[in-house]
Amino acid sequence: IFLYVFVLAGFMTFAASDNSVVSASPNEVGVTVGDTVPFYVPNAFTPNCDGINEYFMLKYELTPEETFSTFFMMICDRYGNVLFKTYNPTAYWDGKDKNGTLCSAGVYTYVIKYKLRNRNKAAETVSKDALEVRTGNVVLIR
């Protein structure tokens, strides 16, 4: 028997199959998988001095009890060269490399490692040293 799983907006749709027939009426079950990511990472920005969408920065809302106990963000080009890094969750990338030179339009990779204090205490008891890691791409548009 095979189990097909499709996850969308917090609900899981599943259908079972015995290699010949797939269930005609899939069922939906509300699920919680892990912890939700406490921030939004944009997928593009336009540092072109027009005053709109000038910086690559995280958008987040934490409860008063939550804080970042650990935070690290790094931006790399397609060759793996580090262009920007910070340990400050309020810092932003302005589309320049470490020397202040404008980076060309293109796709860049980010790595974000973080740990939140007072969030998901059950997970903290399992591994106090574990960091959450989020990676992805951001498009710099000139």
Side-chain angles (χ1 to χ4, degrees), residues 17-33:
S17 169
D18 65 359
N19 276 343
S20 60
V21 177
V22 175
S23 163
S25 59
N27 296 306
E28 288 190 357
V29 177
V31 295
T32 303
V33 180

Side-chain angles (χ1 to χ4, degrees), residues 15-84:
S17 169
D18 65 359
N19 276 343
S20 60
V21 177
V22 175
S23 163
S25 59
N27 296 306
E28 288 190 357
V29 177
V31 295
T32 303
V33 180
D35 207 2
T36 59
V37 178
F39 51 81
Y40 166 74
V41 182
N43 60 4
F45 74 115
T46 59
N48 56 8
C49 299
D50 67 355
I52 301 169
N53 201 20
E54 295 292 319
Y55 307 107
F56 174 77
M57 57 195 292
L58 302 182
K59 310 258 191 277
Y60 60 89
E61 291 183 26
L62 300 176
T63 65
E65 299 83 29
E66 295 174 327
T67 59
F68 285 102
S69 60
T70 303
F71 182 87
F72 175 74
M73 180 171 68
M74 176 173 65
I75 310 289
C76 299
D77 64 14
R78 63 182 176 168
Y79 304 108
N81 298 315
V82 177
L83 304 173
F84 173 81

